[in-house]
Amino acid sequence: MYVAVKGGEKAIDTAHDLLAKERRGNPDIPEIATAQIAEQLTLAVDRVMSEGSLYDRGLAALAIKQARGDLIEAIFLIRAYRTTMPRFGYSEPVETSRMTIRRRISATYKDLPGGQILGPTFDYTHRLLDFNLETEGPAQPEIGSSVSRPADAHMPRVLDLLGKEGLMEPPDGASAARDNGDGKVGDLTREPVSFPADRDVRLQNLARGDEGFLLALGYSTQRGYGRNHPFAGEVRMGEVRVEFVPEELGFAIEISEITLTECEMVTQFKGSKDVPPQFTRGYGLAFGHCERKTMSMALVDRALRADELGEERQAPAQDEEFVLSHSDNIQATGFVEHLKLPHYVDFQSELELLRKMRAEIAKAHVEAAE
Amino acid sequence: MTRGQTYNFAYLDEQTKRMIRRAILKAVAIPGYQVPFASREMPMPYGWGTGGVQVTASVLGHDDVLKVIDQGADDTTNAVSIRKFFQKTAGVETTTETANASVIQTRHRIPEEELRADQILVYQVPIPEPLRFLEPRETETRTMHALEEYGLMHVKLYEDISRHGHIATTYAYPVRVNARYIMDPSPIPKFDNPKMHRMAALQLFGAGREKRIYAIPPYTQVHSLDFEDHPFEVQQWDQACAICGAEVSFLDEIITDDAGGRMFVCSDTDFCNKRSGSTAA
């Protein structure tokens, strides 16, 4: 009996077997292939790559399969794999204005250089279940030649257009003045975060942060908890080249092409005695096609700039320690779920104290009655 | 690294281990001080011992003998899982016997048997900051430690006494290390606190999610916070262990039926097995 309470090795092995069985489901149904996940559950793959901080569609698909579709579990698998990989160096900054655009919209201008490109989006679909998909699904639609013409090679950023007029603060905002001087970008996976954090580390934290958490925080700023009057200046999605300078070559070579989503929010202006009023920025960037994530990230990034822009910090979304300490879903899920681990010893200690306190009160009552 | 290749000894790469050892050295040099370190993402969840696992991985050598306990027991599921992890990634010998281990990783207990100078005790720590529940901000608590400004903690303990007649902290009971830093001993029952005082073994504490390492070097003074008129005291039981009859060990309460039946047994399984002469559970 006593041993049974404590569980043990056999129980773990059996649990793993049961898990494998559940994952496979009914063996009469064909097993899902990771290539199918990579090709047909692309947005799940994108989220796992983004929050897992590892750009590899194949591994992300494998993680999703192994995690039975639990995306946070899949992100966890990717993070644990990523941590063991050697670090060769850092790529050159990617140039998103030279992105091969598949989608690009601006909510601030009706038309603009490069045009509005809707691309693959749920935005204007009616959310009606398509029962055709229950069976084989419809044939691949033909994309008309007029639609498939390539977008302009160079798409100026909307915020740069505003910047030329002096209406927009520079990309680094006031934080450029606070640069630690070495020009290096922080990396919270190599250095523990200390507060106050710089914007580079903040953005890295948000890029890895849980989509749901950022969505709720971003939403809260729209509802008055740290309002910053945002406009979606631009959302763009497409492919960018990744370049790397190997030490032995000394010049940049292209090593890969990755899909990115970028969002730049135009937010409320500020001015001071010396600087006339300007729009301010919030920035979001993620691997793959992650619009909800990047938009939320941009809202929260802007909210977290409260100190820098001389705004009073009142709302949760403006509170750097609160946001950065709780955005990581792998940390959060681990600590919440660790409550499932045994706590008999601590609980026993509490029981003992509670019984003692109750006995003392009961004794005091008896004495008072006498 | 090609996919499917085996991992480095004890999972972490050597650079990471060196970084962690540096943090450990600093922690040993400043007893009770929380050293920030670049905690890695581990293949087990945060909150399940990632800090302890990283510390163990960094101090483990080929000749070490590892013991892993959770709630004092070698056979609790998480202890089994972590022990298996090191069997797989480090291939070191493991044991359930406290006396035979050179490294002991623990969650929530200190073994009943006295530890020796050639042993290392590695604690898993969920919240390393003893002031966290009094002040949620890291920027504030670090300043409080730096200035040795611990009034808030004493007020909290005092309020406990005025409200409940006791200090209502029964585990993770705060200690003062080497008469300087107030430290969270991890959620061990306060029953175990006195064992930390002048312990011969090196005590290392790893908090993975919170990215902190701290240490108590051998034979260091560890004082559980108290007041002159309310001295620190540990839990006591009216019973002895139902299996081995021990009267000096921490006892777990086991509910035996739904009519209030219960028994008390040692939480330290190795201690209990040795006394009752039975082989491993």
Side-chain angles (χ1 to χ4, degrees):
Chain A
M1 174 273 319
Y2 166 53
V3 173
V5 177
K6 298 265 183 176
E9 207 155 339
K10 231 187 227 158
I12 294 182
D13 289 342
T14 312
H16 291 173
D17 291 344
L18 284 169
L19 180 67
K21 196 162 178 254
E22 287 283 319
R23 182 184 57 70
R24 179 59 184 88
N26 182 352
D28 296 339
I29 309 290
E31 184 166 350
I32 194 168
T34 55
Q36 290 172 318
I37 296 172
E39 282 299 316
Q40 295 170 37
L41 298 179
T42 46
L43 296 180
V45 168
D46 288 346
R47 180 172 176 197
V48 170
M49 292 197 306
S50 268
E51 293 172 34
S53 274
L54 184 70
Y55 196 97
D56 189 317
R57 303 199 77 83
L59 285 180
L62 172 60
I64 291 167
K65 176 176 175 176
Q66 188 180 332
R68 300 169 59 196
D70 179 339
L71 295 191
I72 291 184
E73 183 66 29
I75 291 161
F76 187 6
L77 289 168
I78 290 297
R79 292 267 191 98
Y81 182 81
R82 176 193 193 273
T83 196
T84 64
M85 305 185 76
R87 190 76 50 116
F88 295 121
Y90 293 83
S91 77
E92 296 295 291
V94 294
E95 184 48 84
T96 50
S97 69
R98 289 210 298 268
M99 179 185 271
T100 309
I101 298 271
R102 281 196 280 149
R103 169 164 166 78
R104 187 260 200 143
I105 52 156
S106 169
T108 52
Y109 293 102
K110 188 170 183 187
D111 199 7
L112 66 165
Q116 306 258 17
I117 297 172
L118 218 44
T121 176
F122 290 120
D123 283 355
Y124 303 100
T125 61
H126 294 141
R127 269 61 169 202
L128 302 171
L129 280 175
D130 180 356
F131 292 103
N132 289 324
L133 293 174
E134 262 191 325
T135 52
E136 286 299 293
Q140 277 248 338
E142 288 284 320
I143 306 292
S145 57
S146 65
V147 205
S148 63
R149 77 170 164 82
D152 295 358
H154 183 75
M155 289 255 189
R157 290 203 198 82
V158 171
L159 271 66
D160 291 347
L161 299 175
L162 283 166
K164 275 187 194 140
E165 266 188 86
L167 296 175
M168 172 57 69
E169 63 169 350
D172 292 342
S175 61
R178 292 188 304 142
D179 189 1
N180 48 14
D182 58 5
K184 274 192 193 155
V185 178
D187 182 351
L188 58 79
T189 67
R190 299 283 132 165
E191 287 288 328
V193 176
S194 60
F195 298 106
D198 284 332
R199 192 167 173 216
D200 53 353
V201 170
R202 256 179 9 218
L203 285 170
Q204 183 190 14
N205 176 292
L206 298 179
R208 290 158 56 92
D210 182 70
E211 178 175 310
F213 179 74
L214 295 183
L215 175 66
L217 280 178
Y219 176 45
S220 74
T221 68
Q222 290 181 284
R223 292 193 64 261
Y225 290 83
R227 189 155 183 233
N228 52 41
H229 307 269
F231 297 92
E234 182 170 347
V235 176
R236 57 169 69 196
M237 182 275 290
E239 281 65 44
V240 296
R241 286 194 298 256
V242 181
E243 293 182 334
F244 182 75
V245 182
E247 249 178 69
E248 54 271 46
L249 287 184
F251 55 86
I253 53 169
E254 187 182 326
I255 53 170
S256 181
E257 191 178 70
I258 61 173
T259 305
L260 289 180
T261 306
E262 182 184 53
C263 170
E264 293 196 283
M265 287 285 177
V266 178
T267 55
Q268 199 180 46
F269 33 82
K270 269 272 161 194
S272 65
K273 278 205 310 285
D274 316 311
V275 188
Q278 283 182 315
F279 284 118
T280 53
R281 302 167 179 257
Y283 188 74
L285 185 75
F287 285 153
H289 193 178
C290 295
E291 268 174 53
R292 188 185 299 121
K293 166 69 179 273
T294 48
M295 293 181 75
S296 306
M297 178 176 167
L299 289 173
V300 177
D301 169 48
R302 174 59 183 80
L304 288 176
R305 296 181 59 207
D307 269 1
E308 177 197 337
L309 296 168
E311 296 164 342
E312 200 182 341
R313 288 201 305 191
Q314 291 167 316
Q318 297 170 313
D319 186 330
E320 179 180 86
E321 273 204 57
F322 178 79
V323 174
L324 300 195
S325 303
H326 302 114
S327 61
D328 191 291
N329 52 25
I330 303 307
Q331 290 177 3
T333 197
F335 202 49
V336 167
E337 295 197 52
H338 107 285
L339 294 173
K340 291 180 284 192
L341 287 179
H343 285 82
Y344 337 120
V345 166
D346 302 343
F347 187 68
Q348 188 62 47
S349 302
E350 295 282 71
L351 263 183
E352 193 261 356
L353 177 65
L354 192 60
R355 282 182 183 139
K356 193 158 135 193
M357 280 164 36
R358 289 171 61 93
E360 279 170 5
I361 290 169
K363 197 172 146 213
H365 275 301
V366 172
E367 278 166 8
E370 277 165 3
Chain B
M1 179 188 286
T2 54
R3 285 174 201 178
Q5 193 180 324
T6 54
Y7 294 103
N8 192 34
F9 175 76
Y11 187 74
L12 295 172
D13 60 281
E14 293 304 316
Q15 275 80 6
T16 297
K17 285 196 233 171
R18 185 189 295 168
M19 175 273 294
I20 293 172
R21 285 187 205 120
R22 281 183 180 146
I24 291 173
L25 287 176
K26 184 168 179 183
V28 169
I30 318 172
Y33 172 74
Q34 301 165 52
V35 182
F37 81 112
S39 174
R40 296 294 192 254
E41 276 160 322
M42 300 299 286
M44 56 277 287
Y46 285 115
W48 300 55
T50 54
V53 167
Q54 288 180 77
V55 168
T56 298
S58 304
V59 299
L60 215 55
H62 290 281
D63 302 333
D64 273 309
V65 180
L66 178 68
K67 171 182 166 82
V68 183
I69 51 173
D70 185 345
Q71 315 290 304
D74 296 276
D75 58 353
T76 37
T77 41
N78 203 45
V80 171
S81 159
I82 291 173
R83 188 163 56 241
K84 274 188 160 176
F85 174 75
F86 282 114
Q87 277 168 350
K88 197 161 156 185
T89 58
V92 292
E93 191 185 331
T94 60
T95 182
T96 59
E97 289 180 42
T98 303
N100 291 347
S102 58
V103 177
I104 302 172
Q105 179 167 331
T106 180
R107 177 169 172 268
H108 294 196
R109 274 314 307 279
I110 297 175
E112 306 290 359
E113 198 173 325
E114 198 171 323
L115 299 182
R116 300 182 311 265
D118 61 345
Q119 295 178 305
I120 298 177
L121 184 59
V122 178
Y123 296 78
Q124 301 172 201
V125 181
I127 306 270
E129 179 49 72
L131 307 169
R132 179 60 68 237
F133 299 110
L134 307 172
E135 168 54 60
R137 267 171 219 293
E138 182 67 14
T139 36
E140 290 294 323
T141 52
R142 283 190 85 77
T143 309
M144 289 160 77
H145 282 295
L147 301 176
E148 220 173 327
E149 200 180 282
Y150 293 136
L152 203 56
M153 178 62 91
H154 289 105
V155 169
K156 191 259 171 195
L157 298 178
Y158 170 76
E159 283 180 347
D160 270 6
I161 291 171
S162 60
R163 194 172 301 147
H164 306 296
H166 297 273
I167 292 175
T169 302
T170 56
Y171 58 93
Y173 189 101
V175 295
R176 190 151 197 167
V177 180
N178 200 27
R180 175 58 179 88
Y181 285 98
I182 287 190
M183 189 196 90
D184 183 308
S186 88
I188 57 171
K190 65 178 183 174
F191 177 89
D192 284 339
N193 275 23
K195 296 177 192 163
M196 310 178 90
H197 181 58
R198 301 201 189 286
M199 184 190 279
L202 170 62
Q203 303 175 70
L204 301 176
F205 299 79
R209 191 177 41 79
E210 301 278 343
K211 303 179 170 50
R212 295 289 183 276
I213 284 174
Y214 50 101
I216 304 175
Y219 306 108
T220 303
Q221 184 191 329
V222 179
H223 175 75
S224 301
L225 301 183
D226 62 355
F227 297 101
E228 273 172 26
D229 52 345
H230 279 271
F232 174 80
E233 50 185 39
V234 299
Q235 292 101 329
Q236 283 166 353
W237 284 262
D238 301 331
Q239 295 86 343
C241 170
I243 294 176
C244 75
E247 290 173 351
V248 293
S249 63
F250 189 94
L251 301 179
D252 278 347
E253 182 171 337
I254 312 276
I255 310 276
T256 51
D257 53 40
D258 58 1
R262 57 171 81 101
M263 65 189 278
F264 289 85
V265 296
C266 290
S267 107
D268 184 335
T269 46
D270 175 55
F271 179 79
C272 195
N273 290 339
K274 271 228 182 76
R275 285 178 47 90
S276 57
S278 75
T279 46

